[in-house]
């Protein structure tokens, strides 16, 4: 549905987007991650046709953005960064205007606006001017504008920015539903990592204009150092003894002591990795060790891995070092 | 058909936003007060002792000089400042449809302000027996001058996100159109510039085209002048918007 091939964007001498390709199928929710200034918003502006790319091609539903922009853009619902809207208009007027530009008239327009207002819970502010809205309502008004014509493609730049935790939860469910049930092709950018777990079926991480990771959220998580690590807490065992026995296991790469008090030691055994994937037998091996030594333990669980850890590892380590190495 | 509906949607929105802010009311009140002041106090309406609106229309190119850039400066600068330009240009609408839509909205608004001067017409009809044709062409000329200034303001507004810069640039460009045929300006050129250049500069002047309409003459050359300046300025607006988006 969304095809972006080899996008390059220069702003004067500055390379903002460096050969980025994205392909999103209907039903897929792509999470677009990256540190601030990585080129997320610029890439989204290229895909929505707001900025022309310096190189590369964009097609939405088979319509080329350059030659057939109107057809391509009519398939897109777009929520830009910071949710811009005409401050002097009422919510009703603004949504009516968006509907008209989308070619909706009469009853169709009324139904589309009513539906979007319902979904985004805008009834209490429907006749209020936009400049008097709180940030949450402003954001949802712009969100309503993006979904009101029921577009097959949704592109949202930080859709949960400025919402309170309940609203965030609602918006995430909404996005997830639109992806899974309504079969839309969706791209959301975010730097809230929990969002990736909550809604995305695929993750692309971009850093300094380049794609540095592309894959499923679970795949991303297994890149975390702590993914597959086994955390245990034992009593009445000396620290050195524990450390030695764990390190001696063939599945364990290294051991870290997390906490120590009143004879209780909490330790984490990091698994050996093969091709970047953690050894899944680690937990079994550790459990076997505990039984064999007959140690009294209070805790034994496997870590799933942490997204923020991977995010940091990918975006920081690649920043200065890769530049120098190349 | 689609194009007309898109233009109409933009025009309607833009007109609405004039009237939902104080801009429209302040503009109309100031325009009516100033045009009355110039007509009666400066233009000696009564001392002329004739039933015509000449002393009323005489001041319009000068009044519009700062009022029209004030009405037009927000057209694009405001879209840029609020970021709504990103919404507008990612909707299925072409750049020229938005330009025409915005221009028409502002022009209709200026036309409305002009129409509210109708008590002047009632006054001269009450006082004497004016030439209806001259009044009509007078209004037409005034409306077209407003359109030319507006198209230029539209263009300068697309250049910047700063409304003050837009206002001043438009004012200077419009002032050039007013002064281009004026003696001191042509005298400044006549000593050193080739005659064709002097003639070319003088030909830009809006005043002769305005004057002939005031005399009750509708000349196709005058209309061509007005519409070609408007079309040129709107076309340039499109070029500016496109190039500013590319960088």
């Amino acid at each position: 549905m969304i095809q972006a091939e080899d996008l390059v964007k220069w702003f004067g001498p500055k390379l903002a987007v460096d050969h980025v390709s994205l392909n999103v199928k209907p039903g897929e929710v792509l999470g677009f991650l990256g540190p601030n200034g990585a080129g997320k918003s610029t890439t989204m502006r290229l895909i929505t046709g707001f900025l022309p790319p310096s190189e590369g091609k964009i097609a939405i539903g088979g319509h080329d953005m350059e030659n057939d922009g109107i057809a391509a853009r009519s398939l897109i619902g777009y929520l830009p960064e910071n949710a811009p809207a005409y401050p002097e208009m009422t919510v009703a007027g603004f949504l009516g205007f968006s509907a008209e530009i989308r070619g909706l008239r009469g009853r169709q327009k009324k139904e589309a606006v009513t539906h979007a207002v319902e979904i985004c819970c805008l009834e209490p502010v429907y006749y209020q001017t936009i400049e008097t809205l709180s940030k949450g309502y402003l954001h949802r008004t712009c969100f309503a504008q993006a979904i009101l014509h029921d577009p097959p493609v949704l592109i949202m730049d930080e859709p949960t920015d400025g919402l309170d935790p309940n609203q965030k939860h609602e918006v995430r469910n909404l996005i997830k539903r639109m992806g899974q049930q309504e079969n839309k092709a969706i791209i959301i950018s975010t730097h809230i990592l929990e969002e990736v777990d909550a809604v995305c079926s695929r993750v692309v991480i971009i850093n300094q204009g380049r794609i540095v990771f592309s894959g499923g959220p679970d795949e991303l998580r297994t890149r975390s150092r702590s993914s597959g690590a086994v955390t245990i807490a034992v009593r009445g065992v000396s620290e050195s003894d524990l450390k030695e026995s764990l390190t001696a296991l063939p599945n364990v790469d290294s051991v870290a002591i997390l906490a120590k008090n009143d004879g209780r030691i909490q330790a984490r055994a990091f698994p050996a990795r093969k091709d970047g994937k953690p050894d899944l037998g680690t937990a079994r091996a550790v459990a076997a060790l505990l039984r064999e030594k007959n140690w009294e333990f209070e805790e034994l669980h496997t870590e799933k891995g942490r997204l923020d850890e991977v995010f940091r590892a990918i975006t920081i380590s690649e920043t200065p070092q890769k530049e120098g190495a190349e | 058909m689609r194009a007309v509906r898109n233009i109409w949607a933009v025009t309607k929105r833009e007109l609405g936003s004039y009237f939902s802010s104080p801009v429209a009311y302040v503009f109309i009140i100031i325009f009516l007060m100033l045009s009355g002041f110039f007509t009666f106090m400066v233009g000696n309406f009564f001392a002329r002792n004739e039933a015509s609106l000449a002393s009323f229309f005489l001041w319009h190119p000068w009044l519009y000089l700062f009022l029209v850039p004030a009405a037009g400066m927000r057209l694009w600068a405001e879209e840029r400042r609020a970021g709504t330009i990103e919404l507008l240009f990612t909707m299925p609408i072409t750049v020229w449809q938005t330009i025409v839509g915005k221009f028409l909205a502002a022009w209709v608004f200026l036309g409305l302000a002009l129409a509210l001067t109708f008590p002047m017409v009632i006054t001269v009809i009450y006082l004497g027996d004016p030439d209806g044709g001259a009044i009509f062409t007078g209004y037409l000329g005034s409306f077209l001058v407003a359109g030319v200034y507006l198209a230029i303001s539209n263009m300068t507004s697309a250049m910047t996100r700063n409304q003050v810069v837009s206002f001043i640039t438009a004012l200077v460009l419009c002032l050039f159109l007013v002064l281009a045929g004026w003696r001191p300006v042509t005298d400044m050129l006549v000593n050193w510039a080739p005659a064709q250049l002097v003639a070319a500069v003088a030909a830009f002047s809006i005043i002769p085209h305005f004057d002939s309409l005031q005399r009750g003459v509708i000349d196709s050359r005058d209309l061509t002048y007005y519409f070609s300046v408007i079309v040129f300025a709107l076309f340039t607006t499109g070029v500016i918007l496109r190039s500013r988006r590319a960088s």
Side-chain angles (χ1 to χ4, degrees):
Chain A
M1 203 69 204
I2 305 169
Q3 284 169 293
E5 273 171 51
D6 239 356
L7 297 181
V8 176
K9 182 68 187 174
W10 292 90
F11 289 115
K14 191 179 169 282
L15 182 60
V17 175
D18 185 1
H19 295 281
V20 166
S21 297
L22 291 174
N23 214 321
V24 187
K25 291 191 274 296
E28 218 174 3
V29 182
L30 179 85
F32 202 38
L33 272 65
N36 286 331
K40 296 190 298 281
S41 292
T42 306
T43 308
M44 294 183 131
R45 286 175 176 163
L46 294 176
I47 294 173
T48 51
F50 179 61
L51 295 173
S54 308
E55 283 171 47
K57 268 197 163 326
I58 298 137
I60 307 291
H63 300 284
D64 186 68
M65 187 55 85
E66 200 186 346
N67 303 317
D68 196 7
I70 296 290
R73 290 204 296 273
S74 64
L75 299 177
I76 300 178
Y78 178 38
L79 173 66
E81 203 180 6
N82 303 326
Y86 295 100
E88 71 284 348
M89 293 182 95
T90 62
V91 173
F94 177 64
L95 294 179
F97 167 69
S98 312
E100 279 172 31
I101 295 281
R102 301 293 185 176
L104 302 170
R105 306 279 142 157
R107 225 184 67 199
Q108 273 182 315
K109 170 182 154 186
K110 214 172 149 190
E111 278 171 8
V113 171
T114 314
H115 186 62
V117 164
E118 234 165 66
I119 287 181
C120 300
C121 308
L122 292 171
E123 289 95 345
V125 296
Y126 191 58
Y127 294 106
Q128 228 168 296
T129 54
I130 286 172
E131 59 198 344
T132 64
L133 296 182
S134 66
K135 199 171 175 195
Y137 273 123
L138 170 68
H139 215 91
R140 279 185 282 163
T141 303
C142 203
F143 191 96
Q145 162 279 135
I147 60 168
L148 110 124
H149 53 298
D150 195 24
V153 171
L154 268 177
I155 293 171
M156 304 190 164
D157 206 345
E158 298 186 10
T160 57
D161 182 44
L163 301 180
D164 70 34
N166 295 336
Q167 294 164 344
K168 273 189 177 139
H169 181 75
E170 272 167 43
V171 167
R172 279 174 201 157
N173 282 345
L174 186 64
I175 293 173
K176 203 169 170 178
R177 204 183 67 217
M178 287 191 292
Q180 286 172 354
Q181 294 171 16
E182 296 172 27
N183 224 24
K184 295 184 194 301
I186 302 175
I187 301 182
I188 63 166
S189 82
T190 177
H191 34 230
I192 307 170
L193 291 157
E194 46 183 300
E195 214 144 83
V196 172
D197 263 332
V199 298
C200 299
S201 57
R202 198 149 64 86
V203 182
V204 166
I205 300 182
I206 179 173
N207 191 30
Q208 298 200 325
R210 260 174 311 184
I211 291 182
V212 289
F213 174 86
S214 171
D218 291 332
E219 200 181 329
L220 180 63
R221 193 175 282 108
T222 56
R223 289 220 187 172
S224 160
R225 199 169 96 88
S226 60
S227 120
V230 178
T231 306
I232 57 171
V234 292
R235 259 184 204 287
V237 183
S238 81
E239 186 187 331
S240 58
D241 197 6
L242 176 68
K243 223 171 168 174
E244 259 169 50
S245 330
L246 283 173
T247 320
L249 293 172
N251 320 57
V252 174
D253 180 53
S254 62
V255 176
I257 302 297
L258 301 178
K260 224 167 40 164
N261 47 4
D262 302 338
R264 179 182 188 272
I265 304 177
Q266 195 185 28
R268 183 172 291 165
F270 293 98
R273 284 173 177 268
K274 221 186 224 165
D275 306 325
K277 292 205 171 81
D279 188 330
L280 294 174
T282 316
R284 228 175 307 135
V286 172
L289 177 80
L290 291 173
R291 272 199 307 274
E292 181 199 319
K293 300 262 186 181
N294 217 358
W295 282 337
E296 183 191 344
F297 68 96
E298 293 175 340
E299 195 183 332
L300 170 69
H301 64 89
T302 310
E303 303 289 336
K304 285 178 86 178
R306 286 170 48 193
L307 290 176
D308 58 339
E309 216 174 64
V310 202
F311 182 79
R312 256 203 314 277
I314 290 179
T315 53
I316 293 177
S317 72
E318 299 222 356
T319 311
Q321 286 166 10
K322 205 165 178 184
E323 291 290 293
E326 276 171 359
Chain B
M1 198 55 212
R2 181 78 198 260
V4 174
R5 291 204 299 209
N6 280 348
I7 290 171
W8 173 234
V10 173
T11 304
K12 211 168 59 172
R13 195 205 72 69
E14 199 68 40
L15 259 181
S17 79
Y18 269 112
F19 286 99
S20 54
S21 69
V23 178
Y25 306 102
V26 171
F27 181 93
I28 288 175
I29 289 168
I30 289 182
F31 174 71
L32 294 179
M33 279 178 13
L34 284 180
S35 65
F37 171 76
F38 278 109
T39 310
F40 293 106
M41 307 314 287
V42 186
N44 289 323
F45 176 75
F46 292 113
R48 282 171 179 242
N49 212 8
E50 55 187 55
S52 91
L53 286 176
S55 63
F56 166 67
F57 288 123
L58 178 66
W59 304 101
H60 282 193
W62 300 95
L63 259 182
Y64 287 151
L65 206 49
F66 60 94
L67 284 177
V68 174
M73 65 186 183
R74 51 179 291 287
L75 284 174
W76 291 103
E78 182 63 21
E79 292 263 359
R80 255 187 226 293
R81 198 192 54 76
T84 43
I85 195 166
E86 193 169 345
L87 274 184
L88 193 61
F89 284 158
T90 52
M91 286 178 170
I93 180 169
T94 62
V95 173
W96 74 266
Q97 286 166 1
T98 59
I99 294 172
V100 173
K102 276 173 177 286
F103 174 74
L104 285 181
W107 209 13
V108 166
F109 167 67
L110 294 176
L112 188 75
L114 189 59
L116 286 176
T117 60
F118 69 90
M120 290 298 310
V121 181
I122 295 172
T123 309
V124 287
I125 290 175
Y126 175 73
L127 291 175
D129 183 22
D131 176 356
I135 291 179
F136 173 76
T137 58
Y139 268 108
L140 179 68
S142 175
F143 187 56
L144 287 169
V145 168
V148 166
Y149 288 4
L150 185 65
I152 289 168
S153 308
N154 202 335
M155 179 177 82
T156 60
S157 182
M159 291 176 185
T160 173
R161 69 171 69 216
N162 186 325
Q163 300 199 9
V164 177
V165 173
S166 161
F167 173 80
I168 292 175
T169 319
L171 193 145
V172 168
L173 289 175
C174 295
L175 187 66
F176 168 75
L177 289 186
V178 172
L179 296 183
W182 194 37
R183 279 298 291 274
V185 175
T186 47
D187 283 354
M188 191 174 75
L189 293 170
V190 83
N191 291 329
W192 55 273
Q196 291 98 319
L197 182 68
V198 180
V201 169
F204 272 108
S205 176
I206 202 166
I207 297 297
H209 302 286
F210 182 68
D211 284 345
S212 64
L213 277 165
Q214 296 313 308
R215 288 195 304 270
V217 182
I218 300 182
D219 189 330
S220 64
R221 278 173 302 180
D222 295 328
L223 297 182
T224 310
Y225 169 84
Y226 288 117
F227 284 109
S228 47
V229 177
I230 289 174
V231 168
F232 173 78
L234 294 185
F235 177 77
T236 311
T237 308
V239 172
I240 292 168
L241 287 172
R242 256 179 248 271
S243 69
R244 293 226 18 178
R245 221 165 19 135
S247 62

